[in-house]
Amino acid sequence: MDRRDFLKLGGSAVAAGALATTRATAAAPQAAAPFLSAAPIEHVRIGYVGIGGQGSGHVENLLKIPGCRITAVCDVRPERTDWATKQITAAGHPAPTAYTKGPRDFERLCETADLDLVYNATPWEFHVPIMLAAMKHGKHTATEVPAAMTVDDCWAMVESAEKYRKHCVLMENCNYDRMEMMVYHMVRQGLFGEILHAEGGYLHDLRGIKFADEGEGLWRRAWATKLNGNLYPTHGLGPVANCLDNNRGDRFDYMVSMSGPSRGLQDWAAEHVPAGSPKRNERYVLGDVNVSLIKTARGKTIVVEHCTNLPRPYSRIHMVQGTKGLFQGYPSRVYIEGRGKEDQWQEAQAVLGEFEHPLWKEIAEMAKGAGHGGMDFIEDYRLIKCLREGTPTDFNVYDAAAISAVVGLSVQSVGRKAAPVDFPDFTRGRWQTAPPVPIIHM
Ligand SMILES: NC(=O)c1ccc[n+]([C@@H]2O[C@H](COP(=O)([O-])OP(=O)(O)OC[C@H]3O[C@@H](n4cnc5c(N)ncnc54)[C@H](O)[C@@H]3O)[C@@H](O)[C@H]2O)c1
């Protein structure tokens, strides 16, 4: 019985509203059925691996989220597990078990600790080994970005998640940023019409960070000596891929990629690194600007950029173009045909009151002060909530694989004169019937 039939039978408007809500709620789990949901977990026990710059923020967030406990911590630096232990006990929880016996001690954590979730914020080379060990030992897993640096490793994640029926989640915080969520909300309401094209990127001057003698300086620069492509596609690509229904009605089909010359790190080393330092002898292969172009199965296009070695203000580009208008980030503005003045941008702030995503309305206060303007808290909150309720996670292993595959595929394309390279269909056809990412609530 649809809403009209119900009214014909004499139901009041209020009752009809109640019916509509019930149907929407009842439909939600079914709509999400194609992707994994696991048994609900009342209190999520977490093992946290890698408590450096980004991991520390997640530890702090998780201590504020109801229904979870960090019961194990792991880092190659015992001072970081000591720091986490202090935070955890100060929050009134029992001290976690610490795993600090070197770079493979996460294996012992995965094997021996009684955990529901192993979540890591380690250097890129450890993401996949940690996630595979976690799933093999019966734990859900989540990772910082990018999930994997090769297409083979993307498949390894997918196959393992399917084999062990465990969540394997890429924690792409930018999916949850205020503007990104507002744009997604507007896309779902059809404000921009059919979405035809999008652009995203990670344009961030990281030269100082890459040459530091601590934190990412200890591992991130090394990747620039090994790979030439887009090493960090997920922040820019994740949110716009959602607007294009990636893996949920459409999917990335193939891409081409080009890198320009490599100058930024060499120039920085020459200016800032003392003569005689081994850093001066490094040779970088990573082009300073990498541009990739993705074609989707439904014929849509996405430009993805990477630029982390040159002086510039921060940007993720964030452009979503439809048949009725577009959003353009940095600075955030919209243009919707028939709204506002013809041929003139409207500041996004002007439409935020009308189109703010419900999740941000509900959670902004709680997220205040958390990393990256609050979005890091929101992604952690959503992950724990989905695990507790036994629903599919907002983003799943197929999303992790598709958006991380751009690393490996861009390297392949750049190495072959921008030849087109195919994305695997990690969903094995399920993208055709999967519903869009649901509008998510607290
Ligand atoms: N989403 C974001 O906005 C964002 C921001 C920054 C970093 N990141 C990602 O977070 C991850 C970590 O970056 P970071 O900036 O925190 O780096 P970091 O170097 O500050 O922290 C890494 C931590 O991992 C530890 N570690 C290294 N190898 C380990 C191993 N084998 N086992 C256990 N611990 C190990 C290090 O001691 C360190 O404490 C990276 O994947 C990075 O891309 C994401």
Side-chain angles (χ1 to χ4, degrees):
M1 182 168 67
D2 69 19
R3 192 168 186 273
R4 228 170 344 163
D5 293 333
F6 181 77
L7 287 171
K8 263 193 239 150
L9 287 172
S12 71
V14 175
L19 177 74
T21 318
T22 317
R23 288 183 68 198
T25 317
Q30 200 186 3
F35 296 130
L36 176 74
S37 45
I41 304 166
E42 197 182 344
H43 293 289
V44 182
R45 296 158 304 171
I46 304 165
Y48 209 95
V49 187
I51 306 159
Q54 185 68 359
S56 304
H58 288 303
V59 165
E60 287 173 330
N61 294 340
L62 293 165
L63 289 175
K64 293 184 194 129
I65 295 171
C68 67
R69 289 274 163 89
I70 302 173
T71 55
V73 287
C74 173
D75 200 295
V76 289
R77 295 181 296 153
E79 66 269 27
R80 295 315 301 154
T81 54
D82 289 350
W83 175 87
T85 300
K86 252 190 213 147
Q87 310 305 308
I88 292 164
T89 52
H93 303 304
T97 312
Y99 294 81
T100 57
K101 293 185 184 164
R104 304 297 300 189
D105 210 25
F106 63 81
E107 288 171 341
R108 198 166 58 92
L109 173 144
C110 293
E111 275 168 39
T112 60
D114 233 353
L115 299 167
D116 302 300
L117 171 71
V118 176
Y119 184 170
N120 91 83
T122 56
W124 300 338
E125 54 270 39
F126 293 108
H127 293 180
V128 172
I130 293 170
M131 291 190 289
L132 297 186
M135 290 187 278
K136 184 175 166 198
H137 293 286
K139 281 99 182 165
H140 298 299
T141 190
T143 185
E144 260 301 340
V145 300
M149 303 301 279
T150 65
V151 176
D152 281 351
D153 269 355
C154 290
W155 270 123
M157 286 188 309
V158 168
E159 283 164 0
S160 178
E162 289 177 346
K163 178 173 175 188
Y164 298 110
R165 297 200 53 76
K166 292 293 160 197
H167 291 296
C168 177
V169 184
L170 176 67
M171 299 301 287
E172 181 35 79
N173 49 353
C174 300
N175 284 337
Y176 295 90
D177 207 358
R178 193 170 213 155
M179 280 300 139
E180 278 81 347
M181 291 212 81
M182 180 191 83
V183 172
Y184 181 68
H185 193 41
M186 292 174 80
V187 166
R188 290 259 69 80
Q189 291 174 61
L191 268 299
F192 302 118
E194 183 192 1
I195 306 303
L196 301 179
H197 175 77
E199 299 182 10
Y202 187 66
L203 317 178
H204 190 184
D205 179 0
L206 295 180
R207 292 171 301 167
I209 288 173
K210 287 189 190 185
F211 276 101
D213 291 318
E214 57 180 10
E216 297 193 0
L218 303 180
W219 55 269
R220 193 165 181 152
R221 193 178 70 261
W223 285 94
T225 66
K226 290 187 276 203
L227 296 183
N228 185 10
N230 185 336
L231 306 192
Y232 208 62
T234 70
H235 286 340
L237 183 56
V240 301
N242 298 334
C243 294
L244 279 159
D245 292 332
N246 182 46
N247 286 342
R248 297 164 177 82
D250 201 353
R251 73 172 190 91
F252 302 156
D253 186 7
Y254 63 91
M255 62 176 276
V256 297
S257 186
M258 284 190 201
S259 289
S262 179
R263 303 273 190 270
L265 296 182
Q266 277 86 346
D267 289 356
W268 178 275
E271 265 181 52
H272 296 87
V273 175
S277 161
K279 289 179 192 169
R280 285 266 201 143
N281 302 329
E282 291 172 353
R283 288 290 161 263
Y284 307 106
V285 297
L286 175 66
D288 292 335
V289 179
N290 172 272
V291 185
S292 304
L293 183 55
I294 298 173
K295 184 90 164 171
T296 75
R298 302 261 188 247
K300 318 289 178 69
T301 47
I302 309 174
V303 172
V304 198
E305 286 190 35
H306 180 254
C307 173
T308 56
N309 297 342
L310 298 175
R312 54 156 305 123
Y314 181 92
S315 170
R316 297 197 298 269
I317 306 176
H318 194 201
M319 193 273 251
V320 177
Q321 169 79 68
T323 50
K324 292 185 180 162
L326 77 160
F327 176 92
Q328 169 79 63
Y330 300 89
S332 297
R333 58 222 137 119
V334 291
Y335 182 77
I336 298 170
E337 198 167 40
R339 271 181 165 253
K341 291 191 184 135
E342 199 175 328
D343 207 25
Q344 280 186 32
W345 291 108
Q346 244 190 317
E347 277 182 31
Q349 210 57 32
V351 298
L352 190 62
E354 198 178 344
F355 296 114
E356 170 113 276
H357 191 286
L359 182 64
W360 263 93
K361 281 190 200 153
E362 293 161 7
I363 208 173
E365 201 48 45
M366 255 178 115
K368 241 184 205 158
H372 298 106
M375 63 183 174
D376 295 8
F377 177 85
I378 300 178
E379 67 167 347
D380 289 336
Y381 181 93
R382 283 293 310 165
L383 173 68
I384 299 302
K385 182 174 166 79
C386 292
L387 293 177
R388 293 189 74 200
E389 294 184 349
T391 60
T393 49
D394 295 335
F395 303 100
N396 55 43
V397 69
Y398 307 105
D399 302 311
I403 65 171
S404 301
V406 169
V407 179
L409 293 174
S410 64
V411 170
Q412 287 176 29
S413 180
V414 166
R416 304 211 313 256
K417 273 186 136 175
V421 282
D422 287 342
F423 281 86
D425 174 9
F426 294 106
T427 74
R428 298 183 180 94
R430 285 193 280 170
W431 62 273
Q432 297 185 64
T433 49
V437 175
I439 293 282
I440 38 196
H441 285 272
M442 256 180 103

